[in-house]
Amino acid sequence: METAAKKYTFKDFASDQEVRWCPGCDDYVILRAMQKALPDMDVKKEDVVFISGIGCSSRFPYYMDSYGMHSIHGRAPAIATGVKIANPDLSVWVITGDGDSMAIGGNHFIHVLRRNVDLNIILFNNEIYGLTKGQFSPTSLVGQKTKSSPYGNTQPPFSPGELAIGAQARFFARIGGNTPKEMTDLFIEAEKFKGTSLIEVLQNCPIFNDGCFTEYTDKKVREDKQLYVRHGEPMIFGKEKNKGLVLNGLKLEVVTIGENGITEKDILIHNAKEQDPTLHQMLVRLRYPLVTGIIRSYEDVTLEERIDVLTAEVKSKSKFNKTDDLFFSGDIYQVF
Amino acid sequence: MATTQSNTQHEVLEAVIIRFVGDSGDGMQLTGTQFSDTSAMFGNDIATFPNYPAEIRAPQGSLYGVSGFQVHIGSVEISTPGDEVDLLVAMNPAGLKTNLHAVKPGHTIIVDTDAFTKKNLEKAQYDSNPLEDNSLENYRVIEVSMTSLTKETLKDVQGLDNKSITRSKNMFALGMVYWMYDRSPDYTIDFFNKKFKSKPEIIEANTKVLNAGFYFAETLELIPNAYSISPAKMPAGTYRIIMGNTATAWGFLAAAEKAGLELFLGSYPITPASDILHELVKHKHFGVKALQAEDEIAGITSAIGASFAGDLAITTTSGPGLALKGEALGLAMMIELPLVVVNVQRGGPSTGLPTKTEQSDLLQSMYGRNGESPVIVIAASTPANCFNFAYQAAKMTLEHMTPVVLLTDGYIANGSAPWKIQSAKDMSEIKNNIVSEYHENWHPYDRDKETLARNWAIPGTPQFEHRVGGLEKDRISGNVSYVPENHEYMTKIRAEKIKRVQNYIPDLTTEFEEEGDLLVVGWGGTYGSLHTAVKKLNEEEGFSNIGLAHFNYINPLPKNTEDVFSKFKKIVVCELNNGQFAKILKINFNNLNLLEYNKVQGLPFGNGELAEKFKQLLVK
């Protein structure tokens, strides 16, 4: 892609449309993080495309002054795939929620990851259906009381990260909805990554599922409950920076540096670029600490690259340049 | 190598209908295709009709596992694969049992006697062997032990297993038929040489068996006379034999080239539409981008994405697939992007009759979406004109910025016919509504004054950044609008946009007569049957004023439709459904008194049944 012709500010990416989310919704944080991240990406404004499905999150494209499509329920990954195949030079973003991508769009979600189309998916996970006013979603917890589960939800949830890595996601990151600075960084990293990047944002819904992630995201507990991983750095967390992860058999274990002879050298170094997803999957599953940051970032051939290579190969071998060459080839005959 | 220069006196025929039937693994489709291709090369007009079971390999010898291929060749114009057959080649008892009814009394049946075993007779539910119980006395039966003769022919060929040997018996049958109808086996031998380049033993085996069948027929006194069919008088030009699905694919290739756009296909496999996907994926050298999607919905939505990004986007499917695509088609209609949806109709409802033909998705195509959601609907009517209507669908979608549903059906999609090759350079111009020069008052829903087509601003174009979506649009800015009057306005303008397409489609014309006692009305793939029946009847004494009006443009209908109809005393609408097009006509024209002839058997119309029906209507 060519270098961006001019330097933008976040205002260049704000559309003239009034933002209509509930007061206190983390969606505002995500919107602002995106508007701030885009000027720091190596993309031209006219090359940016946002595709969304249906749901609160999916109003997002209207608020961005870029190309965009607010489409139909769950289908944004398939639409974005078409956009990207048609024009691989575009920076394509899929905006989706847990209802949109894990339920009605589950099929497209897994297949876009499998194909490794070079696009970026921001998954707004609030473990509830917001726009339809409070039914449980595929990420809602068992026992959760919602409009459609007054006695408690009986359907066990997906973990988006586990599902994604199982579907061969090459890039998976997770971030709290109330950490705009890190979120902005992740968006920039996702754009740089060649392949499908998935960022799960733990997004609070103040109306229907208030506090769903507070135990991890509250400022008071954040440092003790979250491990923000960085490639090449030891997996250390805690206010005192003295907790860390080690591998004990087939399990990750939290240890304290300085206790039981543990030193910083014993702590696992995060390798996001490892092809084997085993450890990434373990990190995704962990609930104490909750792992955030870029958990997996393994670069692989993208669908567009495969298509490109194959097309070039077929073209180089083909006798056909114009359709006439095809139409008049093979078993043709004359009538006089 | 065999030649056609035998000393036999050939009886000259105008046209002949041959049907090859056998187990679904017997190679009947290949046999039929070879015979029809050879005849086409010779200069005959042809029409073919493959008819096969939905199962890949139904149990051998079973009645429901019979696979057939019918070919109609002639020195005269051939519009359909025909009804009653002159020659039936039956490779087993089940094939004979299920197809005997189609053979004209006194005409010929060739059977492989080796297949008439006790076991096979039982599977075909014969109480006694029809070759022995005189039940075939009204026919000329040629009994040939084809399997044994094939084995004998190949006893010296090295490197063949038993299965390959037995499998080539279809070529013995084909060789016999080539001789009977004065056709050279050369074309088929060329075909073997190309197809099995790396398998010389297969080339040798097939060639030997084909020639053996040919010589066998020549020397056999059981075949008393042979026939020849002269070349047909067809418009001068370069021809090839084309299947409807291939023609559809090629029409899109030509349109993309003409429009200067890249072609994107998003599709999910489904019978009988899959061959369009199979054909288009071959043509990456033309820049075709084909995505075999995870489901029908991803097929159409990926195409919508590609269209948003500036490709000529299409999606191909059959009835149940169109049902799944409904919501996305509504989106494409709402955001007013170009998109062609090809629906190769099959027998419905639900999974219905997946390998059989029907015209029962018409109302689904017209109305199968939520809300007021008009789209252009057109239908191809012959295997060859699938090319033109695919091209036309692409042209219309780009010029009018609205989805187009192109209807074909299993009958014309799998059937083949001579196609007078058309060059993209000779096809009509294709314009588009892509905007590139920015001006300050630009809005995404600005419309062309004449067509009402909106602007097409493609991502990557500076200053045109805008959002589209399924929510209702403000008539000017394109922003989301819930204003009641605006919704009504937009509903009406979307309908008006489709109505104005009338200004760009040809007037309806009639064939044979412009006025008279009876107007036969049809649409889509029934053209050949209706044309043949009306032609025949007009040639009969007392039935000289029957017209045929066949529709390719369904939404909108041609402007002059009512005028054309008003010149006939009676109108009969013939469809392979329960009267769907008749319903559309009644909705559009209040005062019409329409008669209907409907058939819902998964089969095309027969010429005989149509002629009979028309006669009844004229007498009443």
Side-chain angles (χ1 to χ4, degrees):
Chain A
M1 203 177 292
E2 289 169 47
T3 315
K6 66 169 187 180
K7 203 67 194 159
Y8 305 103
T9 71
F10 73 93
K11 283 182 189 160
D12 290 310
F13 290 99
S15 80
D16 59 357
Q17 296 298 289
E18 190 189 339
V19 183
R20 296 184 187 183
W21 283 313
C22 307
C25 177
D26 280 346
D27 288 6
Y28 287 96
V29 180
I30 306 171
L31 178 65
R32 179 52 78 96
M34 183 61 76
Q35 287 165 345
K36 282 198 161 171
L38 278 161
D40 287 332
M41 296 178 196
D42 193 18
V43 293
K44 289 185 279 189
K45 186 178 161 182
E46 63 267 24
D47 288 337
V48 179
V49 183
F50 284 93
I51 309 286
S52 65
I54 298 291
C56 293
S57 64
S58 290
R59 301 292 182 94
F60 192 97
Y62 291 125
Y63 308 138
M64 297 297 300
D65 193 16
S66 65
Y67 283 97
M69 189 193 295
H70 175 224
S71 73
I72 46 178
H73 219 169
R75 318 300 172 194
I79 294 175
T81 300
V83 170
K84 190 69 186 181
I85 293 174
N87 185 355
D89 291 338
L90 300 172
S91 173
V92 182
W93 296 77
V94 170
I95 304 295
T96 184
D98 46 304
D100 193 53
S101 65
M102 301 282 105
I104 192 166
N107 194 24
H108 311 305
F109 178 79
I110 57 176
H111 287 283
V112 74
L113 293 166
R114 165 177 77 89
R115 294 187 182 117
N116 200 29
V117 184
D118 182 21
L119 46 79
N120 316 295
I121 305 172
I122 315 289
L123 167 57
F124 296 34
N125 183 8
N126 56 14
E127 298 185 346
I128 197 82
Y129 281 2
L131 194 71
T132 50
K133 300 203 173 101
Q135 301 82 7
F136 64 86
S137 90
T139 55
S140 295
L141 305 176
V142 169
Q144 192 171 322
K145 289 185 179 171
T146 73
K147 278 255 181 70
S148 56
S149 58
Y151 306 115
N153 175 27
T154 52
Q155 301 185 15
F158 273 136
S159 152
E162 279 182 57
L163 178 67
I165 291 176
Q168 299 180 51
R170 277 74 161 179
F171 183 109
F172 176 71
R174 187 191 278 149
I175 188 69
N178 59 350
T179 41
K181 167 84 185 58
E182 289 85 349
M183 200 187 293
T184 306
D185 293 345
L186 288 185
F187 291 167
I188 294 167
E189 289 306 312
E191 209 288 328
K192 280 187 203 157
F193 182 82
K194 290 274 164 227
T196 311
S197 353
L198 172 64
I199 298 173
E200 179 193 11
V201 181
L202 308 175
Q203 174 240 337
N204 190 42
C205 172
I207 308 299
F208 297 109
N209 202 13
D210 195 24
C212 51
F213 298 111
T214 308
E215 61 171 307
Y216 306 112
T217 56
D218 190 90
K219 275 183 187 156
K220 289 179 206 145
V221 300
R222 197 150 72 195
E223 284 172 272
D224 282 328
K225 294 289 181 66
Q226 280 188 40
L227 164 61
Y228 192 88
V229 290
R230 287 187 170 85
H231 175 73
E233 293 184 14
M235 293 192 243
I236 293 175
F237 68 104
K239 266 201 186 102
E240 314 289 325
K241 303 265 181 255
N242 64 342
K243 306 272 190 206
L245 290 183
V246 296
L247 202 53
N248 182 358
L250 289 175
K251 286 204 164 150
L252 287 171
E253 191 177 295
V254 177
V255 293
T256 308
I257 298 167
E259 281 180 13
N260 302 323
I262 299 281
T263 69
E264 201 177 315
K265 280 185 184 162
D266 297 315
I267 307 297
L268 282 171
I269 305 291
H270 181 47
N271 183 1
K273 297 179 180 176
E274 168 59 49
Q275 180 176 0
D276 183 338
T278 310
L279 194 57
H280 301 150
Q281 190 66 276
M282 290 163 83
L283 290 169
V284 166
R285 293 168 73 107
L286 213 58
R287 281 296 169 270
Y288 172 70
L290 185 81
V291 182
T292 52
I294 300 171
I295 295 170
R296 178 167 173 77
S297 172
Y298 160 66
E299 288 232 359
D300 194 3
V301 189
T302 64
L303 178 71
E304 307 89 275
E305 286 167 347
R306 286 182 207 278
I307 292 174
D308 251 19
V309 168
L310 194 60
T311 305
E313 194 187 318
V314 174
K315 267 187 181 163
S316 73
K317 287 181 185 161
S318 173
K319 301 170 288 190
F320 302 143
N321 293 312
K322 289 203 149 290
T323 50
D324 268 8
D325 304 336
L326 166 70
F327 298 170
F328 288 93
S329 70
D331 291 329
I332 59 170
Y333 58 96
Q334 299 294 326
V335 171
F336 299 101
Chain B
M1 186 180 283
T3 71
T4 48
Q5 280 153 20
S6 61
N7 296 323
T8 319
Q9 280 297 318
H10 294 290
E11 184 187 330
V12 178
L13 301 175
E14 258 192 356
V16 65
I17 298 169
I18 303 167
R19 191 184 286 186
F20 300 91
V21 297
D23 257 333
S24 57
D26 277 345
M28 292 297 98
Q29 305 300 322
L30 174 72
T31 310
T33 309
Q34 286 300 310
F35 187 80
S36 52
D37 286 3
T38 295
S39 300
M41 298 284 166
F42 179 74
N44 295 133
D45 197 0
I46 68 159
T48 72
F49 180 48
N51 193 1
Y52 44 84
E55 295 80 9
I56 300 298
R57 287 278 187 275
Q60 271 197 333
S62 68
L63 291 170
Y64 58 90
V66 174
S67 170
F69 191 100
Q70 183 160 317
V71 49
H72 189 179
I73 61 173
S75 58
V76 291
E77 184 192 12
I78 301 292
S79 305
T80 75
D83 305 344
E84 294 182 303
V85 304
D86 301 291
L87 171 65
L88 176 70
V89 179
M91 302 304 283
N92 66 5
L96 178 66
K97 183 149 196 184
T98 49
N99 289 279
L100 184 65
H101 64 92
V103 186
K104 289 179 203 163
H107 284 255
T108 310
I109 300 167
I110 299 178
V111 293
D112 178 8
T113 49
D114 292 329
F116 281 68
T117 59
K118 191 163 173 277
K119 202 170 141 199
N120 279 345
L121 289 165
E122 273 168 18
K123 281 187 193 161
Q125 294 168 23
Y126 272 116
D127 295 330
S128 60
N129 188 345
L131 305 180
E132 292 165 0
D133 64 7
N134 293 330
S135 62
L136 301 175
E137 62 184 3
N138 286 336
Y139 305 93
R140 181 197 293 152
V141 182
I142 301 172
E143 298 183 21
V144 186
S145 50
M146 270 186 249
T147 309
S148 326
L149 287 165
T150 300
K151 282 182 183 161
E152 179 64 24
T153 308
L154 295 180
K155 67 176 193 280
D156 297 329
V157 181
Q158 300 297 312
L160 283 179
D161 54 56
N162 246 336
K163 211 172 158 192
S164 310
I165 291 172
T166 319
R167 202 184 274 162
S168 48
K169 66 175 184 282
N170 61 333
M171 288 302 125
F172 195 94
L174 182 62
M176 287 176 68
V177 181
Y178 275 153
W179 185 84
M180 285 177 72
Y181 291 97
D182 194 25
R183 296 279 176 275
S184 161
D186 292 354
Y187 170 81
T188 298
I189 292 165
D190 280 351
F191 168 82
F192 296 149
N193 285 320
K194 281 182 207 146
K195 173 103 180 167
F196 304 112
K197 227 177 220 167
S198 57
K199 293 176 186 159
E201 73 282 0
I202 301 285
I203 298 175
E204 189 191 347
N206 278 305
T207 308
K208 270 196 153 171
V209 176
L210 182 73
N211 284 334
F214 191 92
Y215 293 132
F216 178 81
E218 191 178 34
T219 48
L220 189 73
E221 287 180 8
L222 283 172
I223 302 177
N225 51 1
Y227 311 101
S228 81
I229 300 118
S230 308
K233 284 183 196 71
M234 291 165 41
T238 310
Y239 283 78
R240 66 185 307 137
I241 299 306
I242 202 159
M243 270 178 62
N245 272 338
T246 309
T248 303
W250 287 16
F252 290 124
L253 291 177
E257 183 175 295
K258 191 76 168 191
L261 297 175
E262 290 187 320
L263 183 65
F264 179 96
L265 166 69
S267 185
Y268 188 74
I270 185 167
T271 302
S274 298
D275 280 335
I276 305 174
L277 166 68
H278 302 164
E279 182 59 31
L280 283 173
V281 290
K282 287 184 202 160
H283 300 296
K284 280 197 188 312
H285 43 260
F286 294 135
V288 174
K289 297 170 236 175
L291 178 73
Q292 181 177 321
E294 56 271 27
D295 61 22
E296 293 284 357
I297 300 172
I300 185 170
T301 49
S302 62
I304 290 172
S307 174
F308 185 58
D311 279 357
L312 168 56
I314 61 172
T315 184
T316 50
T317 193
S318 186
L322 186 66
L324 285 167
K325 290 182 200 291
E327 185 193 12
L329 183 51
L331 173 72
M333 177 269 165
M334 188 70 162
I335 61 184
E336 304 189 41
L337 277 176
L339 173 73
V340 179
V341 183
V342 182
N343 177 13
V344 185
Q345 298 169 96
R346 65 189 213 187
S350 190
T351 313
L353 308 170
T355 59
K356 310 293 177 191
T357 200
E358 210 164 278
Q359 293 186 299
S360 48
D361 296 340
L362 180 59
L363 292 179
Q364 179 183 217
S365 306
M366 289 285 292
Y367 305 114
R369 291 168 293 285
N370 61 306
E372 295 279 334
S373 186
V375 298
I376 296 173
V377 179
I378 65 175
S381 46
T382 70
N385 81 16
C386 284
F387 177 88
N388 304 63
F389 286 99
Y391 187 93
Q392 196 62 16
K395 178 177 160 72
M396 293 171 101
T397 201
L398 292 169
E399 295 185 348
H400 297 272
M401 290 294 281
T402 181
V404 174
V405 176
L406 169 63
L407 294 170
T408 70
D409 59 59
Y411 177 65
I412 57 172
N414 288 327
S416 52
W419 175 52
K420 189 173 169 219
I421 302 172
Q422 293 183 63
S423 215
K425 66 177 188 297
D426 300 328
M427 303 288 288
S428 56
E429 216 52 51
I430 298 181
K431 297 179 204 129
N432 65 50
N433 292 278
I434 295 175
V435 287
S436 53
E437 274 179 45
Y438 184 74
H439 59 89
E440 250 178 44
N441 290 322
W442 179 84
H443 299 106
Y445 278 74
D446 287 344
R447 294 174 190 281
D448 180 279
K449 282 195 181 68
E450 302 298 323
T451 60
L452 301 179
R454 80 168 181 95
N455 284 310
W456 191 12
I458 294 164
T461 320
Q463 294 184 284
F464 288 97
E465 292 86 1
H466 70 285
R467 275 68 56 197
V468 294
L471 289 171
E472 184 59 280
K473 305 277 158 288
D474 176 80
R475 68 179 78 171
I476 296 164
S477 69
N479 289 325
V480 175
S481 167
Y482 291 101
V483 174
E485 292 75 18
N486 180 72
H487 176 51
E488 187 159 301
Y489 175 89
M490 289 297 275
T491 301
K492 285 184 171 160
I493 206 152
R494 287 188 289 259
E496 172 68 15
K497 183 172 73 167
I498 303 299
K499 187 157 187 289
R500 287 201 189 177
V501 172
Q502 278 193 327
N503 301 331
Y504 302 86
I505 60 173
D507 272 352
L508 181 67
T509 55
T510 59
E511 286 183 72
F512 307 107
E513 297 296 330
E514 284 176 13
E515 56 188 291
D517 291 335
L518 180 67
L519 179 66
V520 173
V521 171
W523 66 276
T526 52
Y527 172 75
S529 318
L530 297 175
H531 175 89
T532 308
V534 174
K535 185 175 179 222
K536 247 169 101 180
L537 208 51
N538 271 321
E539 285 162 2
E540 270 184 47
E541 201 152 332
F543 298 102
S544 59
N545 52 4
I546 307 166
L548 171 66
H550 202 82
F551 286 76
N552 295 107
Y553 297 91
I554 293 170
N555 198 38
L557 290 163
K559 257 183 190 166
N560 64 331
T561 302
E562 210 168 5
D563 285 352
V564 170
F565 284 9
S566 68
K567 294 183 178 123
F568 289 86
K569 286 182 193 154
K570 284 181 181 173
I571 301 166
V572 60
V573 185
C574 307
E575 305 178 70
L576 299 176
N577 60 39
N578 218 10
Q580 299 192 8
F581 186 56
K583 283 192 180 73
I584 291 173
L585 291 172
K586 284 173 189 166
I587 290 170
N588 279 277
F589 310 111
N590 285 330
N591 302 322
L592 279 185
N593 184 16
L594 296 179
L595 305 165
E596 292 180 35
Y597 184 53
N598 304 313
K599 177 174 177 175
V600 200
Q601 301 178 4
L603 291 169
F605 282 125
N607 304 327
E609 65 179 306
L610 287 170
E612 204 47 48
K613 177 72 190 174
F614 302 155
K615 276 184 190 172
Q616 280 174 18
L617 293 176
L618 285 163
V619 171
K620 266 184 204 165

